[in-house]
C-alpha cells in the first residue's frame, strides 16, 4: 500500500473525530472530511489548508490577546500616571495653602481645595483695592465719635453698686504693680479681660431667648459687637507690643478665673455684672489717658499705626500710635455708657428686651 493510500485510509477513519463539527448525538454518521473536500489529492490539500487557516486564526487571536493586554497595561500605566499627577497637584496645592497661611493676613488668602463648592468672596475696599483682612469685613469698619465725654462717672450709691466699684478698684492695684507704665502690654492684658463680658452676656441672653421663645430687643447683637470690638483692640496692640511668656501665662490664669466669675455673677445678678463692666471701662479710659500722656511726653515712641488699625478705624495712611489710642479710648467710653445703661434698666425693674438696645452705638 502506498503512503498516499495509507494516509487516505487514516484520514478516512480519524478525520470525523478530529476535524468534524460538534453536533448532537443524533448525528450518528458524520461525513468524512476528505469526502467533503472531494477525496484524493485534492481532498488532502483541502485538509492541510484548513489546518493552516486554523493555526493562522489561533495566531491572530493570540496576537490580539497580547495586544489587548499590552493596551490594558498602557492604560493602567496612564491611569497610574494620572493618579500620580493628581496626587502631585494635591500636594502642590496643600504646600501652596500652607505657604499662604504662613504669609499672614496681609497677603492673599490661601486656596482651599474642597468639593463643597464654598468659595471665599473677593472683597474690595472703597478705593477698589482687594481687601486684605479676614478677621473683619469692609462694612464693619467705622470712625468712632471721639467727642464723647470721657469724664462721665456713675456715682455708686446703693450697696450693690459700691460692691461693684470697689471690686474693680481692688483689681487695679495688682495691675499697676505688675505692669507699672508698660502701657502696651497693659493694654493687651486689659483687652483679654474686657472682651469676656460681652461674649458671656450675649451667650446667656441667647440661651434665655431660646428657652423662653422670645426676642432679646437687640441686646444679643449689642453685647457680641462689644466683645468683637474689644478683640479687635487686642489684635491691634499685638502689633505694637510683644507679650513675654509669663504675661501670656498670666492671661491664661486671669481669663480662666474672670470668665467663670463673671458667668456666675451674670446668672445671679445681671445688674451687678453690667455695673462691674461699666466701672472696668472707666478704669480703661483712665489707663489709655495715661498712655496718651506718655506718648505726648516722648516717653513712648509714637510709631506709625498698624495697618489693621488704619483699615478698622478708617484712619489716614500716616496715622500714628497716638491716633490709635484715641480711637480705642473712645470705644471704651461707649462701652462704659452701654453697660451702665443696661444696669440702670435692671435697677428700674425691667428686662433688657423691654428697652431697645443701642445697636452700633459708637
Amino acid at each position: 500500500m502506498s503512503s498516499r493510500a495509507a494516509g487516505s485510509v487514516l484520514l478516512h477513519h480519524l478525520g470525523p473525530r478530529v476535524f468534524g463539527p460538534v453536533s448532537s448525538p443524533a448525528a450518528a454518521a458524520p461525513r468524512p472530511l476528505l469526502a467533503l473536500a472531494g477525496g484524493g489529492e485534492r481532498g488532502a490539500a483541502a485538509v492541510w489548508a484548513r489546518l493552516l487557516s486554523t493555526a493562522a486564526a489561533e495566531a491572530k487571536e493570540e496576537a490580539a490577546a497580547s495586544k489587548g493586554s499590552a493596551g490594558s497595561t498602557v492604560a493602567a500605566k496612564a491611569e497610574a500616571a494620572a493618579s500620580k499627577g493628581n496626587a502631585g497637584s494635591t500636594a502642590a496645592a496643600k504646600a501652596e495653602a500652607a505657604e499662604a497661611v504662613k504669609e499672614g493676613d496681609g497677603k492673599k488668602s490661601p486656596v482651599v481645595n474642597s468639593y463643597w463648592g464654598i468659595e471665599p468672596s473677593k472683597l474690595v475696599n472703597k478705593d477698589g483695592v482687594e481687601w486684605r483682612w479676614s478677621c473683619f469685613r469692609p462694612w464693619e469698619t467705622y470712625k468712632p465719635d471721639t467727642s464723647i465725654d470721657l469724664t462721665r462717672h456713675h456715682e455708686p450709691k446703693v450697696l450693690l453698686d459700691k460692691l461693684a466699684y470697689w471690686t474693680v478698684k481692688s483689681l487695679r492695684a495688682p495691675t499697676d504693680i505688675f505692669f507699672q507704665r508698660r502701657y502696651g502690654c497693659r493694654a493687651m492684658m486689659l483687652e483679654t479681660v474686657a472682651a469676656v463680658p460681652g461674649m458671656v452676656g450675649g451667650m446667656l441672653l441667647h440661651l434665655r431667648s431660646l428657652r423662653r421663645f422670645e426676642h432679646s430687643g437687640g441686646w444679643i447683637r449689642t453685647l457680641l459687637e462689644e466683645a468683637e470690638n474689644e478683640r479687635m483692640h487686642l489684635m491691634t496692640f499685638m502689633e505694637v507690643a510683644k507679650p513675654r511668656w509669663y504675661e501670656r501665662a498670666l492671661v491664661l490664669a486671669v481669663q480662666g478665673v474672670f470668665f467663670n466669675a463673671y458667668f456666675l455673677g451674670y446668672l445671679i445678678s445681671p445688674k451687678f455684672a453690667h455695673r462691674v463692666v461699666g466701672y472696668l471701662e472707666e478704669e480703661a479710659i483712665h489707663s489709655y489717658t495715661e498712655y496718651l500722656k506718655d506718648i505726648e511726653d516722648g516717653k513712648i515712641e509714637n510709631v506709625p499705626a498698624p495697618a489693621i488699625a488704619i483699615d478698622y478705624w478708617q484712619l489716614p495712611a500716616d496715622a500714628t500710635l497716638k491716633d490709635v489710642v484715641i480711637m480705642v479710648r473712645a470705644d471704651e467710653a461707649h462701652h462704659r455708657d452701654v453697660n451702665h445703661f443696661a444696669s440702670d434698666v435692671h435697677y428700674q425693674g425691667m428686662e433688657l428686651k423691654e428697652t431697645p438696645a443701642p445697636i452700633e452705638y459708637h
Side-chain angles (χ1 to χ4, degrees):
M1 181 181 293
S2 64
S3 60
R4 183 183 300 176
S8 297
V9 173
L10 183 60
L11 288 174
H12 177 73
H13 290 284
L14 299 179
R17 298 181 181 180
V18 177
F19 303 106
V22 178
S23 59
S24 64
R31 297 176 61 186
L33 186 62
L34 290 178
L36 291 173
E41 295 180 0
R42 184 178 178 184
V47 170
W48 289 112
R50 180 172 177 178
L51 290 175
L52 291 176
S53 64
T54 303
E58 292 178 354
K60 287 182 179 180
E61 290 177 359
E62 291 179 0
S66 65
K67 184 176 181 181
S69 63
S72 61
T73 303
V74 172
K77 290 182 178 180
E79 183 178 356
S83 175
K84 185 177 180 181
N86 290 337
S89 62
T90 303
K94 289 181 178 179
E96 182 181 354
E99 185 65 25
V101 169
K102 290 180 180 179
E103 291 179 355
D105 283 341
K107 306 294 182 179
K108 292 184 177 180
S109 300
V111 179
V112 180
N113 290 330
S114 174
Y115 63 88
W116 297 110
I118 299 176
E119 295 183 1
S121 57
K122 294 183 179 179
L123 303 175
V124 294
N125 60 15
K126 61 182 180 180
D127 299 326
V129 181
E130 184 177 357
W131 191 250
R132 52 183 171 175
W133 309 106
S134 59
C135 54
F136 66 100
R137 301 305 186 190
W139 54 84
E140 296 174 344
T141 65
Y142 66 98
K143 291 183 177 180
D145 179 16
T146 56
S147 63
I148 188 172
D149 186 2
L150 301 174
T151 62
R152 191 179 302 167
H153 167 66
H154 180 274
E155 190 68 30
K157 296 179 180 179
V158 299
L159 178 60
L160 206 59
D161 285 355
K162 292 179 180 180
L163 178 61
Y165 178 78
W166 289 109
T167 298
V168 174
K169 283 295 184 179
S170 64
L171 295 175
R172 180 179 180 87
T175 305
D176 290 339
I177 295 173
F178 186 83
F179 290 103
Q180 297 180 0
R181 302 195 71 82
R182 291 186 294 114
Y183 285 107
C185 295
R186 186 191 188 105
M188 281 195 300
M189 181 68 181
L190 177 65
E191 300 303 341
T192 59
V193 173
V196 171
M199 182 61 64
V200 173
M203 176 188 67
L204 291 176
L205 289 180
H206 174 75
L207 296 177
R208 181 188 182 95
S209 176
L210 297 178
R211 290 194 309 270
R212 298 192 175 186
F213 305 95
E214 62 185 17
H215 294 285
S216 68
W219 281 95
I220 296 175
R221 178 180 174 184
T222 298
L223 295 178
L224 293 181
E225 281 183 349
E226 176 187 317
E228 177 65 14
N229 180 251
E230 299 286 6
R231 191 184 66 86
M232 288 305 301
H233 294 174
L234 176 62
M235 297 298 104
T236 299
F237 283 110
M238 282 174 54
E239 304 294 327
V240 178
K242 303 299 180 183
R244 300 180 176 91
W245 67 268
Y246 56 85
E247 292 172 338
R248 290 178 179 270
L250 181 63
V251 167
L252 292 175
V254 172
Q255 189 182 81
V257 173
F258 183 74
F259 175 88
N260 290 284
Y262 190 80
F263 180 84
L264 293 175
Y266 203 98
L267 288 176
I268 297 171
S269 176
K271 59 184 176 183
F272 170 76
H274 283 293
R275 191 69 79 199
V276 167
V277 178
Y279 288 132
L280 277 175
E281 300 296 355
E282 291 183 13
E283 292 298 326
I285 294 171
H286 174 74
S287 296
Y288 284 117
T289 300
E290 294 296 317
Y291 197 173
L292 280 173
K293 288 181 180 179
D294 281 3
I295 293 175
E296 293 171 351
D297 294 341
K299 297 178 181 179
I300 298 177
E301 184 181 0
N302 191 21
V303 297
I308 189 172
I310 292 175
D311 288 342
Y312 184 67
W313 284 291
Q314 300 178 9
L315 296 173
D318 58 347
T320 61
L321 177 61
K322 178 181 177 180
D323 300 317
V324 173
V325 175
I326 291 174
M327 298 296 107
V328 173
R329 185 177 62 173
D331 285 344
E332 305 295 0
H334 288 89
H335 299 328
R336 172 203 63 192
D337 294 350
V338 170
N339 281 276
H340 279 315
F341 174 71
S343 182
D344 290 344
V345 170
H346 284 289
Y347 268 108
Q348 295 174 21
M350 297 186 295
E351 295 185 359
L352 291 181
K353 66 175 183 178
E354 300 176 34
T355 304
I359 298 177
E360 297 181 352
Y361 170 66
H362 294 303

